[in-house]
Amino acid sequence: MLSQVYRSGFQPFHQRLLPWVQSTALSRSRAADRVQPSTIRHVRSWSNIPFITVPLSRAHGKSFAHRSELKHAKRIVVKLGSAVVTRGDECGLALGRLASIVEQVSVLQNQGREMMLVTSGAVAFGKQRLRHEILLSQSVRQALHSGQNQLKEMAIPVLEARACAAAGQSGLMALYEAMFTQYSICAAQILVTNLDFHDEQKRRNLNGTLHELLRMNIVPIVNTNDAVVPPAEPNSDLQGVNVISVKDNDSLAARLAVEMKTDLLIVLSDVEGLFDSPPGSDDAKLIDIFYPGDQQSVTFGTKSRVGMGGMEAKVKAALWALQGGTSVVIANGTHPKVSGHVITDIVEGKKVGTFFSEVKPAGPTVEQQGEMARSGGRMLATLEPEQRAEIIHHLADLLTDQRDEILLANKKDMEEAEGRLAAPLLKRLSLSTSKLNSLAIGLRQIAASSQDSVGRVLRRTRIAKNLELEQVTVPIGVLLVIFESRPDCLPQVAALAIASGNGLLLKGGKEATHSNRILHLLAQEALSIHGVKEAIQLVNTREEVEDLCRLDKMIDLIIPRGSSQLVRDIQKAAKGIPVMGHSEGICHMYVDSEASVDKVTRLVRDSKCEYPAACNALETLLIHRDLLRTPLFDQIIDMLRVEQVKIHAGPKFASYLTFSPSEVKSLRTEYGDLELCIEVVDSVQEAIDHIHKYGSSHTDVIVTENEKTAEFFLQHVDSACVFWNASTRFSDGYRFGLGAEVGISTSRIHARGPVGLEGLLTTKWLLRGQDHVVSDFSEHGSLKYLHENLPVPQRNTN
């Protein structure tokens, strides 16, 4: 009988815990070899969490004002709610989550921070242990007295919480100690009750013990002594700054955080944070930042499935800790996709959970800006085409009328960037009178092309008699455009968004702060003439790009404008939001054996040297083998030397030379500077194959006088832009006559190449009927489908 019980899974508690306890001995043997936090310099990382070095010293007494400052937190308390540490059946611990939490705490501890845990779980662990012991006991008694070979249904009595806590406390601590041992960290347990904070002598003893443990680089694990804790009292405290009773682990964590002058308190629960209405309700929105004066506007839901406190208790405890100088974040510690890095994400300043702050920013949050852009964009889309064109014309006029103010703001940016930015980036940052004039001309082109953009009928079909279908163009919704260094990008993108009826969020680089601010103000001034000022928003808060890419409920399309690294980072960070752009601009030019001597050097010079930092600049020059050691080849090399272009030799090119330039490290390189790779090919087909293998589908060119060869190249190269006898630098929205561009896309879905007004539109279907139902078109119905194509209204091209 007993063997049947063991096989059925009721293994004695001490045998199940034995592997953990054995590993704990290793922890104690290593404790003597531990180093003090001040001596830690290089520590390996675990899992995918990198080691980072940050300045951790700061004076306590005032909480952090912004999330970005959390990376400077030295002393941190992590509170693990009951729902975080217990399994779904509330009997036993969620070992996977606990292991992940211990790993994150260990990483931060080994960075030199002082970590403390306030944990639940003793009751759940004890309940699991006592249930097993009761089942074992009942099965033995039944086997001895019933005389039957089968177990009868066994009823398990209700287990008293304090007894469960007493039975589970030692096992919980042994588990934590074993887990921390894996990272060469020692842990120590401290059990407290409310009296330990109200009795002055006990309070001093507790304080001294905790400080001594932290000094020795030991992680204190603190929890209420649930074996002797009195029943919960009515919530009569929390009314004053200096009064808080320890009645649950939320209040304990807050009291401990203030008592120990902690920089940060992380409260992990089973919800993402604080919502403006009960989580799960249709209109519930996560509150990113919570201020002490906001609690009156929040409706609290029920408490979690386990544990003493609900969200209201957490908020009150958090506000109490905030008043004591400790920053607080409430976040979800149970979500499988984020729990593995939630603690480290919070400490790195990422937008996780609800951040409690005493500093309320003057402007709106980015979430509020997203909502304003959405509503403003919808109003913009309902304007008449002439009204949208009028807004763009007014913005173009403002660029010239306010030229002096714009250039003054840009001068401030240039002065601050001097010595910090590379020369190509400084060139992008610089504005001039000629640039502003060109911008104004481009904006007027956009205004002219916007007359027939939104609401244009693309297709009309008569489905049946008096049932007509139309496909019409509509805005995409809300665009997020992230750009570096180039303030001239702002009015271009703003004009395209206005013309296409899209709401717009703009995130510019810090190096162009002054320029972007005045250009955004001018854009909103232009929008104001038709009451749609809020359609374009400039994100000025300390929002990280990675956090913006998570706003999938507010943003419909992300368009990065900047370096290939920026584009790759955004494509990686975007969660559920399409990204339109190109990660690299590896542009090729193939010089055919029948190329004109007069054309080649001009095209190569313009493509490489006119603006080498541009994404449409030439990076690889492919030369037909027959041109080697010819006057044409010598002219190309001489021109590149005069222009001070550094040459890298491809493998085949290097094999032809006795003394060659440095051999290229990779044929997939975007130099973005006066550097160029030269490679030799045997035919136009080999050039095409090389482009497909090493290119980025951006812009590729053939130089030849043979029309048949050129057409073969144009038809077979699978890139967004393919040219014949033209510079790669023509790959640009303004030069294409689009007025401007939001970027260049190498994607094969939606827009491709320079993306102008047309690329910011999508479609919707309009069906107009007269009491039509599908059942009338069934086999025995009275109506038949016609599906007749109808003429489409002619587009206004003036």
Side-chain angles (χ1 to χ4, degrees):
M1 179 65 68
L2 288 176
S3 63
Q4 291 178 350
V5 174
Y6 283 126
R7 283 197 300 270
S8 66
F10 299 123
Q11 187 180 12
F13 178 81
H14 68 278
Q15 291 186 14
R16 283 181 280 108
L17 196 60
L18 185 59
W20 290 109
V21 175
Q22 289 174 335
S23 66
T24 304
L26 181 60
S27 150
R28 292 175 178 140
S29 68
R30 291 175 178 170
D33 300 326
R34 297 195 54 78
V35 293
Q36 296 301 319
S38 60
T39 66
I40 295 176
R41 290 295 180 266
H42 301 286
V43 183
R44 69 184 181 94
S45 62
W46 294 278
S47 185
N48 60 346
I49 305 171
F51 174 79
I52 57 174
T53 303
V54 293
L56 299 178
S57 60
R58 81 179 191 101
H60 185 80
K62 189 175 182 181
S63 61
F64 293 118
H66 305 281
R67 281 185 185 270
S68 59
E69 298 172 343
L70 294 180
K71 62 175 67 75
H72 301 299
K74 166 73 172 178
R75 185 170 292 175
I76 303 171
V77 172
V78 178
K79 183 264 177 179
L80 308 179
S82 300
V84 175
V85 299
T86 60
R87 297 194 317 231
D89 60 4
E90 303 174 20
C91 183
L93 302 181
L95 296 179
R97 284 201 295 267
L98 275 182
S100 176
I101 289 167
V102 167
E103 178 184 32
Q104 294 173 77
V105 170
S106 300
V107 168
L108 296 174
Q109 179 80 3
N110 281 290
Q111 289 175 359
R113 305 181 199 266
E114 297 174 343
M115 304 298 297
M116 291 181 280
L117 280 183
V118 174
T119 181
S120 303
V123 174
F125 207 177
K127 184 187 292 186
Q128 182 186 38
R129 178 181 183 184
L130 293 181
R131 286 185 65 178
H132 287 171
E133 297 300 329
I134 290 170
L135 286 173
L136 284 171
S137 177
Q138 288 183 346
S139 64
V140 170
R141 286 197 300 271
Q142 286 187 355
L144 293 175
H145 297 99
S146 66
Q148 299 178 5
N149 293 326
Q150 295 182 347
L151 292 175
K152 294 181 180 179
E153 186 176 340
M154 295 179 288
I156 300 176
V158 176
L159 300 174
E160 203 273 331
R162 284 194 285 269
C164 292
Q169 201 70 254
S170 60
L172 177 65
M173 189 56 204
L175 182 62
Y176 271 120
E177 192 171 355
M179 286 182 170
F180 276 113
T181 296
Q182 309 307 309
Y183 305 100
S184 300
I185 289 177
C186 184
Q189 183 183 36
I190 298 178
L191 295 175
V192 298
T193 65
N194 200 31
L195 293 176
D196 294 310
F197 289 97
H198 290 287
D199 183 282
E200 190 58 32
Q201 182 60 48
K202 291 184 176 181
R203 179 182 171 187
R204 284 198 300 268
N205 292 343
L206 174 61
N207 192 294
T209 300
L210 288 168
H211 276 95
E212 182 64 14
L213 292 173
L214 294 176
R215 187 187 67 81
M216 293 189 294
N217 205 30
I218 295 172
V219 175
I221 300 177
V222 186
N223 52 350
T224 54
N225 192 350
D226 293 325
V228 298
V229 71
E233 299 174 359
N235 191 23
S236 58
D237 59 350
L238 292 164
Q239 303 302 316
V241 176
N242 298 317
V243 181
I244 184 170
S245 298
V246 177
K247 60 171 63 66
D248 53 40
N249 279 335
D250 294 318
S251 55
L252 169 60
R255 184 64 187 260
L256 180 68
V258 175
E259 183 76 22
M260 294 297 294
K261 296 181 172 58
T262 301
D263 301 317
L264 173 62
L265 167 61
I266 300 174
V267 179
L268 297 183
S269 183
D270 58 351
V271 292
E272 276 68 30
L274 183 61
F275 289 76
D276 57 1
S277 56
S281 59
D282 293 337
D283 298 325
K285 294 180 182 178
L286 180 66
I287 298 173
D288 173 41
I289 305 177
F290 190 72
Y291 307 98
D294 289 349
Q295 60 263 40
Q296 302 299 324
S297 60
V298 176
T299 303
F300 294 101
T302 59
K303 72 182 187 72
S304 66
R305 58 179 172 81
V306 289
M308 294 286 294
M311 184 55 73
E312 186 173 9
K314 290 176 176 56
V315 171
K316 288 183 176 180
L319 291 173
W320 192 89
L322 188 67
Q323 287 178 309
T326 296
S327 296
V328 183
V329 175
I330 297 178
N332 190 339
T334 64
H335 196 292
K337 291 186 178 180
V338 299
S339 58
H341 45 81
V342 60
I343 299 173
T344 49
D345 278 355
I346 290 171
V347 176
E348 289 172 13
K350 295 181 181 179
K351 289 187 72 171
V352 179
T354 300
F355 172 63
F356 286 70
S357 174
E358 291 187 303
V359 179
K360 196 165 187 174
T365 66
V366 70
E367 289 81 6
Q368 292 169 331
Q369 286 186 295
E371 292 175 354
M372 289 188 287
R374 174 78 69 189
S375 59
R378 285 172 176 162
M379 292 175 61
L380 183 65
T382 62
L383 296 178
E384 294 297 323
E386 294 78 11
Q387 293 175 304
R388 289 193 293 271
E390 186 181 356
I391 294 172
I392 300 171
H393 275 295
H394 188 46
L395 177 57
D397 293 339
L398 288 172
L399 290 179
T400 54
D401 294 345
Q402 305 293 325
R403 179 188 302 111
D404 293 341
E405 289 81 355
I406 297 171
L407 295 180
L408 181 61
N410 185 246
K411 183 181 178 182
K412 292 180 181 178
D413 288 325
M414 293 293 292
E415 290 173 350
E416 293 175 6
E418 194 70 41
R420 296 191 301 109
L421 293 183
L425 292 179
L426 279 174
K427 187 175 180 180
R428 288 186 180 188
L429 178 61
S430 174
L431 292 176
S432 63
T433 299
S434 60
K435 268 191 179 182
L436 293 177
N437 290 337
S438 297
L439 276 174
I441 293 171
L443 263 57
R444 293 187 178 99
Q445 289 180 355
I446 295 172
S449 62
S450 70
Q451 296 293 324
D452 189 22
S453 55
V454 180
R456 177 163 55 91
V457 179
L458 302 179
R459 177 176 177 176
R460 293 178 66 221
T461 305
R462 180 177 287 118
I463 303 297
K465 184 180 179 181
N466 296 324
L467 184 64
E468 293 188 2
L469 178 69
E470 284 184 347
Q471 185 183 22
V472 300
T473 57
V474 294
I476 289 175
V478 175
L479 313 176
L480 168 62
V481 179
I482 302 170
F483 55 101
E484 295 177 322
S485 301
R486 293 183 53 179
D488 55 326
C489 172
L490 194 153
Q492 289 178 336
V493 173
L496 288 169
I498 294 166
S500 57
N502 285 290
L504 180 62
L505 283 175
L506 293 160
K507 174 66 173 175
K510 290 182 290 186
E511 66 279 355
T513 297
H514 302 293
S515 305
N516 289 337
R517 184 180 296 121
I518 187 169
L519 290 170
H520 174 247
L521 289 174
L522 296 179
Q524 289 201 317
E525 182 179 336
L527 288 162
S528 297
I529 66 176
H530 288 297
V532 286
K533 175 182 176 182
E534 294 181 343
I536 296 179
Q537 299 286 326
L538 180 65
V539 179
N540 287 317
T541 56
R542 300 189 182 190
E543 299 293 332
E544 297 293 335
V545 169
E546 186 175 343
D547 293 327
L548 291 172
C549 292
R550 293 192 178 111
L551 301 176
D552 57 311
K553 294 182 180 179
M554 299 179 181
I555 298 167
D556 298 296
L557 178 66
I558 301 175
I559 304 174
R561 294 283 303 268
S563 66
S564 58
Q565 186 60 51
L566 171 73
V567 179
R568 283 195 296 268
D569 289 344
I570 291 172
Q571 289 172 334
K572 183 178 179 181
K575 307 296 183 184
I577 309 175
V579 178
M580 184 166 68
H582 65 279
S583 58
E584 291 174 307
I586 305 176
C587 302
H588 294 75
M589 179 177 288
Y590 166 57
V591 181
D592 185 54
S593 60
E594 298 181 63
S596 166
V597 175
D598 297 330
K599 294 177 183 177
V600 172
T601 52
R602 275 173 47 83
L603 293 173
V604 174
R605 179 188 290 111
D606 190 78
S607 297
K608 177 72 263 186
C609 308
E610 197 268 341
Y611 190 4
C615 65
N616 56 12
L618 176 64
E619 303 293 6
T620 299
L621 182 65
L622 302 175
I623 297 180
H624 194 282
R625 180 184 58 184
D626 294 347
L627 296 177
L628 291 177
R629 301 183 180 90
T630 66
L632 172 58
F633 178 77
D634 293 339
Q635 285 185 23
I636 295 172
I637 298 300
D638 289 342
M639 180 273 296
L640 293 174
R641 285 173 177 165
V642 170
E643 297 291 341
Q644 298 183 330
V645 177
K646 181 178 181 181
I647 298 174
H648 302 276
K652 289 187 68 175
F653 180 44
S655 69
Y656 283 97
L657 304 174
T658 306
F659 298 100
S660 67
S662 61
E663 187 167 342
V664 68
K665 295 180 180 179
S666 171
L667 291 168
R668 292 191 181 94
T669 302
E670 181 181 16
Y671 298 102
D673 206 344
L674 287 174
E675 297 184 57
L676 180 69
C677 171
I678 297 180
E679 182 58 309
V680 175
V681 293
D682 293 339
S683 65
V684 64
Q685 184 60 57
E686 188 175 333
I688 293 170
D689 293 340
H690 181 104
I691 290 169
H692 288 165
K693 184 174 183 179
Y694 300 109
S696 60
S697 300
H698 192 293
T699 301
D700 299 293
V701 175
I702 183 172
V703 183
T704 185
E705 296 304 302
N706 188 314
E707 183 177 354
K708 185 178 179 180
T709 302
E711 289 299 328
F712 183 84
F713 184 91
L714 294 175
Q715 297 302 319
H716 286 80
V717 171
D718 184 19
S719 296
C721 299
V722 189
F723 302 161
W724 173 22
N725 288 349
S727 168
T728 60
R729 296 277 290 118
F730 279 105
S731 182
D732 176 81
Y734 175 73
R735 298 181 182 112
F736 275 17
L738 305 179
E741 65 181 41
V742 294
I744 293 181
S745 172
T746 55
S747 171
R748 286 165 173 78
I749 299 175
H750 192 55
R752 197 175 186 205
V755 181
L757 177 57
E758 299 287 338
L760 299 181
L761 297 171
T762 184
T763 64
K764 71 177 180 182
W765 298 89
L766 305 177
L767 184 63
R768 297 177 176 91
Q770 294 181 3
D771 194 31
H772 286 83
V773 293
V774 170
S775 59
D776 286 343
F777 294 86
S778 63
E779 184 178 354
H780 303 291
S782 58
L783 296 177
K784 300 294 182 182
Y785 289 112
L786 299 176
H787 292 150
E788 297 176 358
N789 291 329
L790 299 175
V792 175
Q794 291 298 309
R795 183 178 181 182
N796 179 13
T797 58
N798 293 330

PDB file of all heavy atoms in Angstrom, residues 98-114:
ATOM      1  N   LEU A  98      10.441  31.446  -9.213  1.00  0.00           N
ATOM      2  CA  LEU A  98      11.373  31.743  -8.121  1.00  0.00           C
ATOM      3  C   LEU A  98      12.817  31.685  -8.603  1.00  0.00           C
ATOM      4  O   LEU A  98      13.640  32.531  -8.248  1.00  0.00           O
ATOM      5  CB  LEU A  98      11.162  30.762  -6.970  1.00  0.00           C
ATOM      6  CG  LEU A  98      10.076  31.102  -5.952  1.00  0.00           C
ATOM      7  CD1 LEU A  98      10.046  30.059  -4.857  1.00  0.00           C
ATOM      8  CD2 LEU A  98      10.312  32.476  -5.347  1.00  0.00           C
ATOM      9  N   ALA A  99      13.137  30.678  -9.414  1.00  0.00           N
ATOM     10  CA  ALA A  99      14.501  30.541  -9.914  1.00  0.00           C
ATOM     11  C   ALA A  99      14.885  31.750 -10.768  1.00  0.00           C
ATOM     12  O   ALA A  99      16.009  32.259 -10.685  1.00  0.00           O
ATOM     13  CB  ALA A  99      14.637  29.251 -10.721  1.00  0.00           C
ATOM     14  N   SER A 100      13.950  32.234 -11.581  1.00  0.00           N
ATOM     15  CA  SER A 100      14.216  33.400 -12.414  1.00  0.00           C
ATOM     16  C   SER A 100      14.424  34.650 -11.564  1.00  0.00           C
ATOM     17  O   SER A 100      15.318  35.463 -11.827  1.00  0.00           O
ATOM     18  CB  SER A 100      13.059  33.617 -13.390  1.00  0.00           C
ATOM     19  OG  SER A 100      13.249  34.779 -14.140  1.00  0.00           O
ATOM     20  N   ILE A 101      13.602  34.813 -10.538  1.00  0.00           N
ATOM     21  CA  ILE A 101      13.729  35.972  -9.646  1.00  0.00           C
ATOM     22  C   ILE A 101      15.067  35.938  -8.919  1.00  0.00           C
ATOM     23  O   ILE A 101      15.760  36.955  -8.809  1.00  0.00           O
ATOM     24  CB  ILE A 101      12.550  36.016  -8.663  1.00  0.00           C
ATOM     25  CG1 ILE A 101      11.266  36.406  -9.404  1.00  0.00           C
ATOM     26  CG2 ILE A 101      12.823  36.973  -7.508  1.00  0.00           C
ATOM     27  CD1 ILE A 101      10.005  36.187  -8.613  1.00  0.00           C
ATOM     28  N   VAL A 102      15.440  34.771  -8.431  1.00  0.00           N
ATOM     29  CA  VAL A 102      16.722  34.641  -7.731  1.00  0.00           C
ATOM     30  C   VAL A 102      17.872  34.980  -8.671  1.00  0.00           C
ATOM     31  O   VAL A 102      18.843  35.639  -8.280  1.00  0.00           O
ATOM     32  CB  VAL A 102      16.874  33.213  -7.160  1.00  0.00           C
ATOM     33  CG1 VAL A 102      18.311  32.955  -6.712  1.00  0.00           C
ATOM     34  CG2 VAL A 102      15.916  33.014  -5.984  1.00  0.00           C
ATOM     35  N   GLU A 103      17.771  34.549  -9.923  1.00  0.00           N
ATOM     36  CA  GLU A 103      18.824  34.855 -10.887  1.00  0.00           C
ATOM     37  C   GLU A 103      18.960  36.367 -11.074  1.00  0.00           C
ATOM     38  O   GLU A 103      20.075  36.913 -11.063  1.00  0.00           O
ATOM     39  CB  GLU A 103      18.521  34.186 -12.229  1.00  0.00           C
ATOM     40  CG  GLU A 103      19.570  34.502 -13.290  1.00  0.00           C
ATOM     41  CD  GLU A 103      19.221  33.911 -14.643  1.00  0.00           C
ATOM     42  OE1 GLU A 103      18.022  33.798 -14.954  1.00  0.00           O
ATOM     43  OE2 GLU A 103      20.149  33.573 -15.384  1.00  0.00           O
ATOM     44  N   GLN A 104      17.842  37.061 -11.241  1.00  0.00           N
ATOM     45  CA  GLN A 104      17.898  38.512 -11.455  1.00  0.00           C
ATOM     46  C   GLN A 104      18.443  39.231 -10.226  1.00  0.00           C
ATOM     47  O   GLN A 104      19.256  40.158 -10.350  1.00  0.00           O
ATOM     48  CB  GLN A 104      16.503  39.035 -11.790  1.00  0.00           C
ATOM     49  CG  GLN A 104      15.952  38.523 -13.120  1.00  0.00           C
ATOM     50  CD  GLN A 104      14.509  38.936 -13.308  1.00  0.00           C
ATOM     51  OE1 GLN A 104      14.215  40.080 -13.630  1.00  0.00           O
ATOM     52  NE2 GLN A 104      13.587  38.000 -13.097  1.00  0.00           N
ATOM     53  N   VAL A 105      17.994  38.822  -9.049  1.00  0.00           N
ATOM     54  CA  VAL A 105      18.499  39.433  -7.809  1.00  0.00           C
ATOM     55  C   VAL A 105      20.001  39.197  -7.683  1.00  0.00           C
ATOM     56  O   VAL A 105      20.759  40.074  -7.271  1.00  0.00           O
ATOM     57  CB  VAL A 105      17.736  38.880  -6.592  1.00  0.00           C
ATOM     58  CG1 VAL A 105      18.395  39.318  -5.291  1.00  0.00           C
ATOM     59  CG2 VAL A 105      16.280  39.323  -6.620  1.00  0.00           C
ATOM     60  N   SER A 106      20.438  38.006  -8.083  1.00  0.00           N
ATOM     61  CA  SER A 106      21.866  37.682  -7.999  1.00  0.00           C
ATOM     62  C   SER A 106      22.687  38.539  -8.946  1.00  0.00           C
ATOM     63  O   SER A 106      23.787  39.004  -8.606  1.00  0.00           O
ATOM     64  CB  SER A 106      22.075  36.195  -8.312  1.00  0.00           C
ATOM     65  OG  SER A 106      21.383  35.375  -7.396  1.00  0.00           O
ATOM     66  N   VAL A 107      22.186  38.759 -10.147  1.00  0.00           N
ATOM     67  CA  VAL A 107      22.890  39.608 -11.104  1.00  0.00           C
ATOM     68  C   VAL A 107      23.069  41.008 -10.535  1.00  0.00           C
ATOM     69  O   VAL A 107      24.148  41.597 -10.595  1.00  0.00           O
ATOM     70  CB  VAL A 107      22.121  39.658 -12.445  1.00  0.00           C
ATOM     71  CG1 VAL A 107      22.681  40.756 -13.342  1.00  0.00           C
ATOM     72  CG2 VAL A 107      22.206  38.318 -13.159  1.00  0.00           C
ATOM     73  N   LEU A 108      21.985  41.562  -9.972  1.00  0.00           N
ATOM     74  CA  LEU A 108      22.069  42.910  -9.404  1.00  0.00           C
ATOM     75  C   LEU A 108      22.970  42.931  -8.180  1.00  0.00           C
ATOM     76  O   LEU A 108      23.722  43.900  -7.971  1.00  0.00           O
ATOM     77  CB  LEU A 108      20.662  43.392  -9.047  1.00  0.00           C
ATOM     78  CG  LEU A 108      19.705  43.560 -10.248  1.00  0.00           C
ATOM     79  CD1 LEU A 108      18.302  43.899  -9.763  1.00  0.00           C
ATOM     80  CD2 LEU A 108      20.212  44.628 -11.200  1.00  0.00           C
ATOM     81  N   GLN A 109      22.912  41.891  -7.358  1.00  0.00           N
ATOM     82  CA  GLN A 109      23.779  41.820  -6.182  1.00  0.00           C
ATOM     83  C   GLN A 109      25.244  41.797  -6.594  1.00  0.00           C
ATOM     84  O   GLN A 109      26.095  42.454  -5.989  1.00  0.00           O
ATOM     85  CB  GLN A 109      23.444  40.556  -5.369  1.00  0.00           C
ATOM     86  CG  GLN A 109      24.294  40.344  -4.120  1.00  0.00           C
ATOM     87  CD  GLN A 109      23.831  41.194  -2.954  1.00  0.00           C
ATOM     88  OE1 GLN A 109      22.840  41.911  -3.048  1.00  0.00           O
ATOM     89  NE2 GLN A 109      24.534  41.094  -1.836  1.00  0.00           N
ATOM     90  N   ASN A 110      25.547  41.075  -7.643  1.00  0.00           N
ATOM     91  CA  ASN A 110      26.933  40.974  -8.090  1.00  0.00           C
ATOM     92  C   ASN A 110      27.394  42.186  -8.882  1.00  0.00           C
ATOM     93  O   ASN A 110      28.564  42.267  -9.277  1.00  0.00           O
ATOM     94  CB  ASN A 110      27.123  39.697  -8.916  1.00  0.00           C
ATOM     95  CG  ASN A 110      27.262  38.477  -8.028  1.00  0.00           C
ATOM     96  OD1 ASN A 110      28.273  38.304  -7.346  1.00  0.00           O
ATOM     97  ND2 ASN A 110      26.243  37.658  -7.999  1.00  0.00           N
ATOM     98  N   GLN A 111      26.479  43.128  -9.145  1.00  0.00           N
ATOM     99  CA  GLN A 111      26.876  44.415  -9.709  1.00  0.00           C
ATOM    100  C   GLN A 111      27.319  45.376  -8.607  1.00  0.00           C
ATOM    101  O   GLN A 111      27.765  46.486  -8.887  1.00  0.00           O
ATOM    102  CB  GLN A 111      25.715  45.043 -10.485  1.00  0.00           C
ATOM    103  CG  GLN A 111      25.400  44.345 -11.792  1.00  0.00           C
ATOM    104  CD  GLN A 111      24.174  44.921 -12.459  1.00  0.00           C
ATOM    105  OE1 GLN A 111      23.533  45.833 -11.937  1.00  0.00           O
ATOM    106  NE2 GLN A 111      23.818  44.378 -13.607  1.00  0.00           N
ATOM    107  N   GLY A 112      27.176  44.965  -7.358  1.00  0.00           N
ATOM    108  CA  GLY A 112      27.551  45.827  -6.248  1.00  0.00           C
ATOM    109  C   GLY A 112      26.376  46.476  -5.560  1.00  0.00           C
ATOM    110  O   GLY A 112      26.552  47.315  -4.679  1.00  0.00           O
ATOM    111  N   ARG A 113      25.171  46.111  -5.939  1.00  0.00           N
ATOM    112  CA  ARG A 113      23.983  46.655  -5.270  1.00  0.00           C
ATOM    113  C   ARG A 113      23.700  45.861  -3.992  1.00  0.00           C
ATOM    114  O   ARG A 113      24.215  44.757  -3.806  1.00  0.00           O
ATOM    115  CB  ARG A 113      22.778  46.598  -6.213  1.00  0.00           C
ATOM    116  CG  ARG A 113      23.017  47.294  -7.550  1.00  0.00           C
ATOM    117  CD  ARG A 113      21.781  47.223  -8.429  1.00  0.00           C
ATOM    118  NE  ARG A 113      22.088  47.467  -9.825  1.00  0.00           N
ATOM    119  CZ  ARG A 113      22.002  48.649 -10.431  1.00  0.00           C
ATOM    120  NH1 ARG A 113      21.618  49.706  -9.736  1.00  0.00           N
ATOM    121  NH2 ARG A 113      22.308  48.784 -11.709  1.00  0.00           N
ATOM    122  N   GLU A 114      22.868  46.435  -3.143  1.00  0.00           N
ATOM    123  CA  GLU A 114      22.477  45.769  -1.896  1.00  0.00           C
ATOM    124  C   GLU A 114      21.014  45.355  -2.033  1.00  0.00           C
ATOM    125  O   GLU A 114      20.113  46.190  -2.013  1.00  0.00           O
ATOM    126  CB  GLU A 114      22.664  46.714  -0.706  1.00  0.00           C
ATOM    127  CG  GLU A 114      24.120  47.114  -0.498  1.00  0.00           C
ATOM    128  CD  GLU A 114      24.306  48.164   0.589  1.00  0.00           C
ATOM    129  OE1 GLU A 114      23.305  48.825   0.958  1.00  0.00           O
ATOM    130  OE2 GLU A 114      25.429  48.326   1.074  1.00  0.00           O
TER     131      GLU A 114
END
